[in-house]
Amino acid sequence: MTDRPVNGLYAPDLFADDSVLIVGEGRWTAILAAAYRARGARVALVGSGADSDLTLAVEAGDAAAIDAAFQAIESSLPPVSTLIVGSPPRRSTPGASLTVESWRAITGPGYDGVFLWCAGFARRRLAGGGRGTILALMDEAEGDGLAAEAATAAGVANLVRTLGAEWGRDGIRTNGLSSKAFGEDRWTQAGADSLTAMSLYLTSPYSGFATCGVLSIG
Amino acid sequence: MSNAMVPDIPPGADAPFLPPGTLAGQVALVTGGGSGLGLAMALAFARAGADIAVLGRSAERCADGVAQIAALGVRAIACPADVRDEAQVALAFDRAEAELGPVSILANNAGGNFGVLSETMSARAWRAVTQIALDGTLFCSAEFARRRIAAGGGGVIVNNAANYVWTGFPGDAHSSSAKAAVVALSEALAREWAPHGIRVNSIAMGFFPHSASPGGMEPEKLAARGRQLPVGRVALMHEAGWAAALLCSPMTATVAGQCLLLDGGHMNAFRGVADPEFIPPRQRERIL
């Protein structure tokens, strides 16, 4: 791993003053948690699949629980200055048999949940007077049985464009990355490197003029 | 609730970005690389270890850029040429490869722009902008790809686009349409050349002021322009260089056919109906 160019991206202390909150499930959480920890960040995880400095279980879609989660994290770690929030794994339900329950199983955490985590993060940053970055991760879902996933991704993409403008003057930048790999949970080494490089870049001071953008990492 | 509302100042141009040597052994050809955004890209490639060929119409401007690039310790040469002329483009590549080796990175940055009412725009004015932006991008990309396909080594192209490619830009019909075409061309070429290991991406640039910009580099005018943007400031040239270097690095090997938005939120900053500047919704008298 050490000879991969992405491992040398940025100084090992670039995020030393920061806590990064990762919300989601899948191999990508481990990829990103390791990348931020290797650059000095403290990582809190709401989800599973990664080593972290603090792991919490939070009811998706509960704004009060999200506010409480931020309080819990910041009682033991530095303030959360980066939020990375992803969509849930695919369920692949044919549209004709898509029940309200199966629709909400995707849109609840993937759409409502992403918004609620972003809003909770922004409230925290605004109250604390600190800057921040948000990175939303979207499943490039298309095809039969993926109506809920596709709708969720499109909604989150325009949420990224909106929140980036709405909170930009407050020093909160918002960007998004998309990939089929988020939904399929299959990552090549090159794909993992692209995820790492683009995530680190978009949450670093080197991308201070980048906000409202959504980009596919393939 | 409030926040600092003070624009975030990025690291300086010489701050370490890509690890040293990330692009070592590679040759980057940058069109319009003698100044502005092209020079910023060339400098970022050079800081990562690439040797640089600067292609531009002005030999003097190319030479100025080459001097700055060479000061970083890499090899750099000027290749004066007009991107609208296929023969000149081929000769520039010949020269670059003869002196530096195979070109494996191409930055299509050359461009020109001026405001003009569409109903008064001459064919010459139209072509002055569109042929540099669109024809030039295709000619240089095709020359690059022919050589890379023959060599079998893959390669990377990054194209300079603009943030108004999705909206149009009244008074700027030539550039807004040509830059949108460049984004579509990038997507098409990325698909076409993917089997040959050639990646193509673009960057939708916002306002990167320079001495010839309206208002030049006067601090008060730059601050006023910054207040039009959600991030509260205009861009610095080297920020474009960082983005281009990352997209051309092996770290982003799966990123292809994409357009990276780098505009401070400008194109998403719908102003309030009564607001001359972008004022965040929370600070408006009325939210919409």
Side-chain angles (χ1 to χ4, degrees), chain A residues 11 23 32 60-62 98 129 164 167 181 218:
Chain A
V23 181
L32 292 184
D62 185 336
L98 193 59
W167 296 330

Side-chain angles (χ1 to χ4, degrees), chain A residues 4-59:
Chain A
R4 300 195 68 75
V6 73
N7 293 332
L9 182 62
Y10 299 144
D13 61 350
L14 183 67
F15 295 99
D17 298 328
D18 302 308
S19 287
V20 175
L21 171 58
I22 296 174
V23 181
E25 295 180 18
R27 286 187 57 211
W28 65 267
T29 62
I31 294 166
L32 292 184
Y36 283 93
R37 294 182 90 190
R39 290 158 182 83
R42 308 293 294 276
V43 171
L45 174 68
V46 174
S48 62
D51 291 332
S52 67
D53 297 286
L54 182 66
T55 300
L56 299 90
V58 179
E59 181 68 29

Side-chain angles (χ1 to χ4, degrees), chain A residues 126 131 169-170 194 206 209 217, chain B residues 2 6 16 229-230 254 264 282:
Chain A
L126 292 169
R131 302 181 187 284
R169 196 62 64 83
D170 300 300
S194 291
Y206 295 93
F209 205 59
I217 54 172
Chain B
S2 65
V6 176
L229 310 180
T254 63
R282 190 164 24 81

Side-chain angles (χ1 to χ4, degrees), chain A residues 59-148:
Chain A
E59 181 68 29
D62 185 336
I66 287 172
D67 286 340
F70 277 106
Q71 289 181 12
I73 294 166
E74 295 182 351
S75 67
S76 59
L77 301 179
V80 177
S81 56
T82 296
L83 169 67
I84 301 174
V85 57
S87 33
R90 289 180 187 175
R91 288 198 166 203
S92 297
T93 308
S97 57
L98 193 59
T99 63
V100 171
E101 288 72 25
S102 56
W103 171 262
R104 289 195 175 135
I106 296 296
T107 60
Y111 183 51
D112 300 359
V114 169
F115 170 72
L116 293 171
W117 277 106
C118 290
F121 174 76
R123 280 193 297 273
R124 201 77 183 167
R125 298 313 290 169
L126 292 169
R131 302 181 187 284
T133 56
I134 297 171
L135 188 64
L137 307 177
M138 286 150 273
D139 178 11
E140 284 175 14
E142 58 182 14
D144 293 347
L146 295 172

Side-chain angles (χ1 to χ4, degrees), chain B residues 17-32:
Chain B
F17 181 62
L18 293 183
T22 298
L23 301 180
Q26 299 207 49
V27 175
L29 187 149
V30 184
T31 73

Side-chain angles (χ1 to χ4, degrees), chain A residues 4-11 122-132 140 158 161-162 164-173 175 178 188-198 201-202 204-218, chain B residues 1-12 15-19 22 202 206-208 226-236 239 242-243 246-247 250-256 258-266 268-270 278-283:
Chain A
R4 300 195 68 75
V6 73
N7 293 332
L9 182 62
Y10 299 144
R123 280 193 297 273
R124 201 77 183 167
R125 298 313 290 169
L126 292 169
R131 302 181 187 284
E140 284 175 14
N158 233 25
R161 299 181 185 109
T162 299
E166 190 163 331
W167 296 330
R169 196 62 64 83
D170 300 300
I172 299 172
R173 294 188 295 110
N175 289 286
S178 66
T188 63
Q189 185 62 64
D193 287 353
S194 291
L195 170 64
T196 300
M198 292 307 304
Y201 168 69
L202 288 171
S204 80
Y206 295 93
S207 63
F209 205 59
T211 193
C212 305
V214 176
L215 182 135
S216 171
I217 54 172
Chain B
M1 291 188 288
S2 65
N3 207 337
M5 308 296 285
V6 176
D8 196 11
I9 304 302
F17 181 62
L18 293 183
T22 298
S202 57
F207 183 52
F208 284 72
R227 288 194 295 273
Q228 296 177 323
L229 310 180
V231 297
R233 67 170 175 86
V234 297
L236 301 177
E239 294 181 283
W242 288 332
L246 183 66
L247 289 175
M251 302 176 195
T252 55
T254 63
V255 180
Q258 297 301 303
C259 184
L260 176 66
L261 180 62
L262 197 60
D263 81 336
H266 187 185
N268 294 278
F270 289 90
F278 177 77
I279 298 174
R282 190 164 24 81
Q283 296 185 336

